[in-house]
Amino acid sequence: MSSAISPAAWVAAHLPASRSPRDAAEAYAPANIALCKYWGKREESFKLPLTGSLSISMGALGTRMRIAPAAADSLRINGADLSPRDKAFQRLFAFLDLLRPAGQAFCVDSTNTLPMAAGLASSASAFAAAVLAVEKLYGWVLDGPTRSRLARLGSGSACRSVYEGFVEWHAGIEPDGGDSFAEPVAPAWPELRVGVLTVSAAPKAVGSSEGMKRTADTSRLYRAWPEQVARDLPKIRRAVLEHDFDTLGATAEQNALAMHATMIAAWPPVLYWQPETVAALHQVHALRAGGISVYATLDAGPNVKLLHPAGDTPALLETFPAMRVIDPSAAL
Ligand code: PMV
């Protein structure tokens, strides 16, 4: 379905009119990992998903972004200046063009508290931080759903990164995405940990947008995806609210593997897994058989994230000494 209006027209109609900037503004947004995944759009320009999704924000791991008015656009990420020819540069400023008046340039300084080398996506936290920083720069006071709708226009999953804790993104049905935004479900559990096994930190060969599109266009298994989410999303939501870790973990692992099954059945196949990815999944299953509560989830890449209770971290580190442990409830 395509919308009658453009994202730029939608933003212009929904933002406060005032655009007189302060000297500078700074904001932080966490990364997030989906427990019930977003995979596939029903509309490209507004980044509207085919299904809902549910994630956990990564607490102190995310992006801090400082934006100041300037004579020309510039972008520094983790202390290194990016060229205007860089894709990340073009993507960020194309997004900022939606929020600023024509002719207004910005100096953007972005720092990821998640190590780039961990192979965790930083685009969700970056676009969410950009929305929050521009909001402060112009002195707007936006509500959560408005922040979330704006962040979605940068990167779909960014709409979940405007909040801490467990977050649900409602798919919505409106053509301009008015009802497609995220909302908090519950605070992070203090006992929950996410272990990250970095198989590769290299940029992925197939980006998530391209991977989604190819899957939706060519994978027959993708037809089953909305049904999978219809089953998993309420189960995960309930498990979050009831602190039922095993239901949460088992449903999240099955959901992630089902998402990868739809991609592997695309043509050309979207196969993000490396041999180490599969080896880690087998180790997770062996650990579980041995009584350790650990469940795997994977995004559009080869890295494996291990959901587990804090009490099991020491045992997991024996099997995975290089595992990086994230506490989603840790404040910045
Ligand atoms: O928002 P994008 O385009 O980076 O897509 C994210 C896709 C997954 O990470 C695989 C799933 C998700 O829900 O975050």
Side-chain angles (χ1 to χ4, degrees), residues 34 37-39 53 123 155-157 160 208-209 212 259 299-300:
K37 307 290 183 186
Y38 147 55
W39 194 247
S53 57
S123 69
S155 161
S157 56
R160 299 184 308 237
S208 55
S209 288
M212 286 179 198
M259 174 183 76
D299 292 306

Side-chain angles (χ1 to χ4, degrees), residues 68-93:
D73 282 341
S74 66
L75 173 59
R76 173 172 287 203
I77 299 184
N78 292 344
D81 289 316
L82 264 68
S83 153
R85 285 187 303 279
D86 198 296
K87 259 201 182 143
F89 185 108
Q90 292 169 6
R91 209 174 146 200
L92 180 68
F93 285 104

Side-chain angles (χ1 to χ4, degrees), residues 17-197:
S18 69
R19 297 282 195 286
S20 34
R22 302 175 179 194
D23 291 347
E26 194 174 298
Y28 169 80
N32 76 78
I33 288 175
L35 303 169
C36 184
K37 307 290 183 186
Y38 147 55
W39 194 247
K41 297 180 181 67
R42 69 170 198 278
E43 201 280 331
E44 297 277 336
S45 67
F46 280 89
K47 298 191 174 60
L48 302 177
L50 187 67
T51 70
S53 57
L54 198 151
S55 61
I56 174 80
S57 285
M58 292 294 102
L61 290 193
T63 301
R64 174 169 290 289
M65 191 176 281
R66 182 181 185 277
I67 300 185
D73 282 341
S74 66
L75 173 59
R76 173 172 287 203
I77 299 184
N78 292 344
D81 289 316
L82 264 68
S83 153
R85 285 187 303 279
D86 198 296
K87 259 201 182 143
F89 185 108
Q90 292 169 6
R91 209 174 146 200
L92 180 68
F93 285 104
F95 174 67
L96 291 171
D97 281 343
L98 294 170
L99 307 177
R100 61 186 176 175
Q104 172 70 71
F106 284 154
C107 166
V108 179
D109 193 347
S110 182
T111 311
N112 292 316
T113 57
L114 44 120
M116 295 287 233
L120 281 177
S122 56
S123 69
S125 54
F127 285 108
V131 168
L132 301 177
V134 172
E135 175 182 358
K136 281 190 190 165
L137 188 75
Y138 288 126
W140 300 330
V141 181
L142 306 177
D143 57 18
T146 302
R147 291 175 180 153
S148 180
R149 291 183 196 99
L150 292 172
R152 189 196 70 235
L153 298 174
S155 161
S157 56
C159 81
R160 299 184 308 237
S161 272
V162 299
Y163 309 104
E164 296 287 350
F166 292 96
V167 177
E168 180 171 348
W169 176 8
H170 310 292
I173 54 167
E174 291 172 15
D176 66 359
D179 55 354
S180 184
F181 57 85
E183 283 185 303
V185 174
W189 306 344
E191 321 76 53
L192 179 70
R193 294 291 179 276
V194 180
V196 180
L197 304 178

